Amino acid sequence: APGEVCEFDWGEVKLTIAGKSRICHMAVFSPTWSDYRYGELYTSQKTESFLDSHVCFFEEAGGVYREMVYDNARVMVARFVGKSEKEPTEALLKLSLYYGFRFRFTNTYQAHEKGHVERSVEYLRRKIFSKCDSFASLAEARAYFQRELSRLNQKCRNNQASAQEMLEKEQNHLLVLPPRYDTARIREARVDRYSTVSVDANHYSVPDHLVGEFVLVKVYPDKVLCYHDQEKIASHQRCLGQAHWQLDINHYLNTLKLKPGALGRSSAFLQMKPELQAIYHKYYQGQEKQYLQLLELVATYSLPKVNQTITMLEKIPTTVNTEKIRLIL
């Protein structure tokens, strides 16, 4: 019946992202009545990707299906109880309670029990990524995926209504869509001696006065947020792959004030915006203490305002330094 059943499945696709070969994971949804297809691209099949895909799909559909059908993937099934009973994960249970849908699992090794979405995974991989599989970034690959999905859903089939038109008819039968669900995977982490927290074998910096403390980490598919005493202390773009270090120079100002000579050779400096690096090389080499004070001004007033002030000083026959910039600001 319309609005009754939707199937979900994961699929893999090999893409070239920024010149490197990567396996991306497609979260694919296929309502059985309208034959509409929706999907999202992720770097993993972890809990935050699973939750984010559902929230995005429900917003795309304009409502919630009454029943969702899953296989026995670890992100949905916590453990098997007996031969046929399965215990859902906490993430799936909370999601279903919030949106009000019921769920069921297919039997083990019985993919035909959700054959609608099984065919959709292969169909989307063939129809979309056989034409283009190389992208400058993951964001570009996601944008391309959504454009091609929209084109396929708007295509008329055998002189009948398109999947987009069928979905519009089905929307009146869907459950009401509540406010957006927070899709983060939440964990607690101790700040190491480098003033970073580790998430999936990658390191993300936090303010250096928190070394040894515990912080709350919210992991989203594309970003990592850190909190301490209910206050957000860091925000990073999530890294692809493993063994990467995402460092914010502002998190190390207290440390660098004690050892200012280490500034130009630090990893945090090399990850700064090119505009800030250019200011250092042009005006502040050998004056690291003043440059650290300038970074505090940037954090307070924003980089565009500081750049505008430097441009004003350049028009005057005078030297550029932090005190003059602070005075004008």
Side-chain angles (χ1 to χ4, degrees), residues 205-224:
S205 68
V206 298
D208 51 9
H209 68 273
L210 294 174
V211 170
E213 299 287 335
F214 280 96
V215 298
L216 187 72
V217 183
K218 299 182 73 173
V219 184
Y220 294 89
D222 57 348
K223 62 183 177 181
V224 174

Side-chain angles (χ1 to χ4, degrees), residues 42-308:
Y42 299 98
T43 57
S44 70
Q45 297 183 17
K46 293 183 180 293
T47 298
E48 62 272 18
S49 302
F50 172 76
L51 296 176
D52 184 76
S53 66
H54 280 68
V55 171
C56 292
F57 169 64
F58 292 148
E59 290 182 347
E60 171 81 6
V64 181
Y65 285 83
R66 286 171 171 77
E67 181 176 82
M68 299 294 297
V69 183
Y70 303 104
D71 59 16
N72 300 282
R74 189 177 300 176
V75 73
M76 287 89 78
V77 177
R79 66 189 183 98
F80 287 81
V81 184
K83 291 185 178 180
S84 58
E85 291 295 320
K86 294 124 184 174
E87 182 180 303
T89 59
E90 183 180 357
L92 174 57
L93 197 58
K94 287 181 177 179
L95 185 72
S96 65
L97 289 172
Y98 183 80
Y99 282 106
F101 65 83
R102 62 184 183 274
F103 55 85
R104 62 180 170 89
F105 301 109
T106 61
N107 290 307
T108 309
Y109 303 115
Q110 300 297 320
H112 65 275
E113 294 182 2
K114 57 177 181 60
H116 210 78
V117 75
E118 290 282 345
R119 292 191 298 271
S120 294
V121 169
E122 187 277 331
Y123 176 81
L124 295 181
R125 186 162 43 213
R126 173 168 47 86
K127 284 288 187 180
I128 295 178
F129 291 108
S130 63
K131 299 185 296 182
C132 180
D133 63 356
S134 181
F135 305 93
S137 64
L138 183 61
E140 182 180 307
R142 286 171 170 164
Y144 168 78
F145 188 32
Q146 294 303 321
R147 287 197 305 270
E148 292 299 306
L149 272 173
S150 178
R151 182 183 62 82
L152 290 175
N153 284 321
Q154 292 175 9
K155 187 176 180 180
C156 293
R157 300 161 299 178
N158 300 324
N159 297 322
Q160 296 179 354
S162 67
Q164 181 68 46
E165 293 170 337
M166 296 293 286
L167 176 66
E168 292 171 359
K169 295 178 181 178
E170 191 175 34
Q171 285 175 337
N172 294 328
H173 303 274
L174 299 177
L175 299 176
V176 176
L177 183 68
R180 185 180 177 89
Y181 185 77
D182 189 352
T183 62
R185 170 165 53 104
I186 301 175
R187 55 180 292 249
E188 198 174 39
R190 184 189 289 272
V191 181
D192 62 21
R193 61 176 178 168
Y194 299 110
S195 190
T196 67
V197 293
S198 178
V199 177
D200 299 333
N202 292 311
H203 291 262
Y204 301 89
S205 68
V206 298
D208 51 9
H209 68 273
L210 294 174
V211 170
E213 299 287 335
F214 280 96
V215 298
L216 187 72
V217 183
K218 299 182 73 173
V219 184
Y220 294 89
D222 57 348
K223 62 183 177 181
V224 174
L225 304 181
C226 301
Y227 294 83
H228 185 257
D229 288 340
Q230 300 182 348
E231 180 182 351
K232 186 166 73 172
I233 55 172
S235 176
H236 295 280
Q237 285 294 113
R238 192 167 174 185
C239 299
L240 297 178
Q242 295 183 340
H244 296 288
W245 293 69
Q246 191 84 345
L247 307 177
D248 184 345
I249 191 77
N250 293 298
H251 293 157
Y252 297 95
L253 294 183
N254 292 329
T255 300
L256 289 169
K257 286 176 181 177
L258 299 176
K259 294 185 176 181
L263 174 66
R265 300 184 301 275
S266 67
S267 297
F269 178 82
L270 297 176
Q271 292 188 24
M272 284 172 50
K273 294 180 179 179
E275 301 95 322
L276 285 172
Q277 293 187 33
I279 292 172
Y280 170 79
H281 290 302
K282 189 172 182 179
Y283 301 110
Y284 285 95
Q285 282 190 325
Q287 303 179 58
E288 283 75 15
K289 287 186 177 180
Q290 280 201 37
Y291 186 73
L292 295 173
Q293 295 172 4
L294 178 74
L295 292 178
E296 293 176 336
L297 290 179
V298 171
T300 304
Y301 293 98
S302 80
L303 180 57
K305 288 187 177 181
V306 170
N307 270 329
Q308 185 180 3

Side-chain angles (χ1 to χ4, degrees), residues 309-321:
T309 305
I310 291 175
T311 302
M312 292 172 58
L313 288 172
E314 287 176 336
K315 295 178 180 179
I316 306 171
T318 184
T319 57
V320 174
N321 60 46

